[in-house]
Amino acid sequence: MSATGIGASVKRKEDFRFITGKGQYTADVNRHGQAHAYFLRSPHAHATIDAIDYAEALKMPGVCAIYTGKDLADDKIGGLICGWMIHSKDGSPMKAGGHPALAQGKVRYVGDHVAVIIADTLAEAKDAAEKINVSYGVLPANADTASAMTSATVHDVAPDNRVYDWHLGDKAATEAAFAKAAHVTKLDIINNRLVPNPMEPRAAVGEYEEGSGVFCLHTTSQNPHVARLVLSAFIGIAPENKLRVIAPDVGGGFGAKIFIYAEETVCVWAAKKVGRPVKWTADRTEAFLSDAHGRDHVSHAEMALDANNKIIGLRVKTTANLGAYLSTFSSSVPTYLYAPLLSGQYNIPAIYAEVDAVYTNTSPVDAYRGAGRPEATFLVERIVEVAARERGLDPAQFRQMNYITQFPHQTPLIFAYDAGDFNASMVKALDMADYKGVGARKAASAAKGKLRGIGFSSYIEACGIAPSAAVGSLGAGVGLWESAEVRVNAIGTVEVLTGSHSHGQGHETTFAQLVSDRLGIPIDNVSIVHGDTDKVQMGMGTYGSRSGAVGMSAISKALDKIEAKAKKVAGFVLEAADTDIEFKDGKFTVKGTDKTIDFGSVALQAYIAHKFTGAQLEPGLKEGAFYDPTNFTFPAGVHICEVEIDPDTGVTKIDRWTAVDDFGAVINPMIVEGQVHGGIAQGIGQALLEGAIYDKDGQLLTASYMDYTMPRADDLPSYKLGFTETRCPSNPLGIKGCGEAGAIAAPPAVINAITDALGHENIAMPATPQAVWRAAQKAVMKKAAE
Amino acid sequence: MPMIHMTVNGKAVKGHAEPRTLLVEFIRDTLRLTGTHVGCDTSQCGACVVHVDGHAIKSCTTLAVACEGAHVTTIEGLAHGTDLHPMQEAFREHHGLQCGYCTPGMIMSAVDMVNRKGHDLSEHTIREELEGNICRCTGYHNIVKAVAAGAKAMQGMAKAAE
Amino acid sequence: MYEFDYHRPGTLDAAVKLAGEADAKILAGGHTLIPTLKQRLAAPKHLVDLHALRELQGVHLKDGHLVIGAMTTHAHVADSALVKAHLPGLAQLAAGIGDPHVRHRGTIGGSVANNDPAADYPSAVLALNATITTNKRSITADDFFKGMFETALAEGEIITHISFPTGIKSGYAKFPNPASRYALVGVFVAQHGADARVAVTGAGANGVFRASTLEAALKGNFSAAALDGKSVSADGINSDMHADAAYRAHLIGVMAKRAVAAAH
């Protein structure tokens, strides 16, 4: 392994600009003559808009324009879309209510977009916004998931607020399994609503160049090409060849920046109307109100065991809150990103899942780190833990005796797991966590008046979110391949254009490692270009832990083509057939001879083209590839959490965290470990700290860091990480993906540990000190009564 | 609009700004030093931390006009060309950043922490002292390692300067 | 923020004059006021910044009292050798306010004048029976705090310093709000001879208050054990999404014990 090749913990190439303050985020983009947009948002969760009077506001200092939904409609600008079609049990399509970028006649959640004020400065835009008089007809509102279907109608197209009622699995087989079960474990589970909170708030700068008729949008996006596609083909801003979308440095995404939102739509549209660049930057409260939220499921689950404690069936009924409108990929999250994972790591012959998705008067809900898979994992790993406890079994052993051990394994729910060794991860994790010593540690805690508990999570996820034909058959409106173009310059330096987008993942380093490794050139000679639709022709972006498995595989495929072409060039130079040329360590050699030429020289020969004619070979060295994998990837692992609870205050301290993950091949262990750390932190956040809370009128009570608990350094432990490796057989690099694992694995590990400490007293997420204190009181009383 | 004068990263600067202009707005919009970021509205996240007269403060909760005559150091003022400050180097070495958005505030806070608490910082101290800086990417694990290493390296810097 | 005129007077007299103007607000550390202005929840015409008033800064020992200037920052109090020697509980409280950056700007005078129900300082001022001195008069702590965000200060009246008696064993324990890190419950205990004063912040529906049942329990026996089994009624205690009244009332007992145990 070279110091900068595959498998090396290469320090990140992108870091220099970030640690010196030279990153260029969207909010750092300033254009001559730019105006500032401010969105007037609905203070009501549900209301008709009877009139908007902005005559006085228009006269305020600095104001260029004020637009409402009517202006968008007059310009025939289409609404925001949901790009994944889900059908209900009866075959009817999901009920998608209209989603205009500026409200038309009705607002459906607090923060919904009523009007945009464009002014010389942001302060002037805000001053003017206060002069707008909106007549609202306030309607009954509902924010609650469980009661959504009996609440006031959010969209006329769905009178009972049900977007779809969907199911997956063999109902009859599952019923039969339960009929012969020796034991049934039942559990009610809420997966709490989260706000993604990348530290960079969303922002947009829209521009229009009159001479060429080209729009340009700088935006905080994880997938600028998808943004361009949607803004062009569906919203109708401009044809794709007249719309450039740039996602420069992006300060974290976690899913929330996949989607195409009202604000960027309005900024780019309005730039032409006002004849000036239009800039918008969210403040944090706007981010809380208008970024798509995550999770928010209410479920009931039942697990059937036979007399030997083998799991023989699982049935699940889930209600998923999708908020007031269907966000870009929202419909897929509680369906195909969720239910197929309900088999977990276990050999379960029969599973049946039903999902009702509902509208409520809340911010739209869509993919957030893990997207569906954390919800599935939480459900499976909680009910498995409870089942083990009910049967008096060691929770690790119960898992081990139900693990899938043969691969490939076809689950009852779509997926064919292609490779894994679940038990290897468990064995390693038990050892690293010193599971044998937990009894002694519990006693030591008890002696201090503290409660100690240990919790497991044996998770599996489906990543890559591809192949295209497969997702197409499940309702996706797009293909989920990835593209790459490798441009070799005449002196042998390389630019790689990728459709993946880096917003913290370190692609500029890992992708360069692959290229450096393959071409035998210094890593500094490789530049990664991404995030600009004028540079990269097309791409599907970064989410679903897909950049390694799919994005890098596309680069690998392009590199295959580069190598093939370079061999031809080398053949002409070395006067040998290209089939006789070997390429190794950056050198082309005629087999069995010492005739050799290095990569840089071949590149030069490709461009000067003196050694071959145009009829023999095209000059130049540039190749592109589109890569579509043959299967999803299935990262899996075991996380073990150990907590110590102060029963006097209910404070839960995470004392130890052990994670053993199988991500297949790893390009840069340092970066992979960083991804695991961050994921676990978000998972712990969900379990202990975070939760979006609405009041009964649909006001978001947790709309700033004063009330929404973000994990801070002193809330979290250091983590102990280990890895096992079974290579992924469905892509050339053997990569499974690592970006979401921690967020998927962590929540059940934490809650299993807390409930272990509390003597199995159940507790909801987030397990705040107050909730834990209450449960601890109950546990103590229960113990006293026994 | 009043004219505001400061010394920023060792350079005398001035600019017109309304009294309601925040220090972070003056730094970003007037001086066009965009390394200082804004991540919240309630003084919690710390993306905007700069040093004013030697102390780390939140530039989103300070008026520019109140810093008339002050010495301000921003993230852009730490390195000398490609010669990184030891704390910057430690963040790179220990992978203490991912998306980079909170990083300038983290590094400015870390340098201030060392100035106040010395070079031998325990994990507990570092985690407590980072109360005013929120990171969403790293889970803090590597930030803690970076700050500890950077603190030690700053001792080396102090010695080298002697 | 709305527009305002900014003033930075060089003398207390000038500051008092400006602060007396209609719609004037005093800017101390600004860590409550500026976020409020940013949210457009206040619209002062004049902002009177006290940072140029050197005489309002610093800690002195005078006649057995620690005299802390109103514009002294939390960081200064936390690090002050005088405070650490004479009222370590107060230094400990100051060291736990907000975060390091907030402590570099926030001031004792600003905190006390604002009387945020979740601020730390009011509990120390009340438990230590400090005296608040303004440009006009001196006010004892018992007369100063009048309820949530309410004090005895008149419009335009400026706190110049706060004077704390010394030689008192005292301690502070805070249970922070997990999100904001303000006090969900903060308890400051102080031993005044045989008597004890216990002041609670964060929990009272009406701001900082003295917990008389706990004071009675500590009378003559200033020990954590004296608080065993003692509780505070949940009546008049705050209830919100972070903590209901019963939990807060329970935490008052727990924090009081921890404050006594930590007192010296």
Side-chain angles (χ1 to χ4, degrees), chain A residues 293-304:
Chain A
H293 294 181
R295 319 285 192 250
D296 204 341
H297 285 196
V298 175
S299 298
H300 177 76
E302 299 187 359
M303 180 171 267

Side-chain angles (χ1 to χ4, degrees), chain A residues 99-130:
Chain A
H99 189 183
L102 295 172
Q104 290 169 358
K106 206 175 176 197
V107 286
R108 294 181 174 84
Y109 68 103
V110 173
D112 206 349
H113 312 70
V114 175
V116 63
I117 302 94
I118 299 167
D120 292 341
T121 70
L122 180 59
E124 287 169 337
K126 286 184 181 179
D127 291 342
E130 293 187 359

Side-chain angles (χ1 to χ4, degrees), chain A residues 242-321:
Chain A
K242 295 290 185 186
L243 175 59
R244 178 183 186 184
V245 177
I246 301 171
D249 287 329
V250 172
F254 314 113
K257 292 173 182 170
I258 298 172
F259 321 120
I260 290 78
Y261 288 94
E263 291 88 353
E264 60 257 31
T265 302
V266 169
C267 282
V268 69
W269 163 76
K272 181 179 178 184
K273 287 188 85 76
V274 300
R276 290 169 67 175
V278 175
K279 180 172 181 173
W280 169 77
T281 307
D283 63 31
R284 183 54 62 184
T285 289
E286 282 186 287
F288 271 101
L289 293 175
S290 68
D291 287 6
H293 294 181
R295 319 285 192 250
D296 204 341
H297 285 196
V298 175
S299 298
H300 177 76
E302 299 187 359
M303 180 171 267
L305 307 184
D306 71 9
N308 297 318
N309 296 313
K310 286 283 211 185
I311 305 168
I312 54 172
L314 176 69
R315 57 187 175 206
V316 174
K317 177 100 175 85
T318 293
T319 306
N321 187 346

Side-chain angles (χ1 to χ4, degrees), chain A residues 215-264:
Chain A
F215 289 86
C216 179
L217 172 66
H218 279 80
T219 182
T220 48
S221 175
Q222 298 176 221
N223 38 216
H225 292 86
V226 177
R228 183 175 70 157
L229 176 67
V230 171
L231 288 165
S232 293
F234 296 94
I235 297 175
I237 296 294
E240 280 178 285
N241 61 319
K242 295 290 185 186
L243 175 59
R244 178 183 186 184
V245 177
I246 301 171
D249 287 329
V250 172
F254 314 113
K257 292 173 182 170
I258 298 172
F259 321 120
I260 290 78
Y261 288 94
E263 291 88 353
E264 60 257 31

Side-chain angles (χ1 to χ4, degrees), chain C residues 141-157:
Chain C
D142 283 328
D143 294 332
F144 184 82
F145 299 107
K146 298 288 187 191
M148 199 183 288
F149 296 110
E150 298 286 333
T151 68
L153 291 173
E155 281 296 311
E157 191 172 5

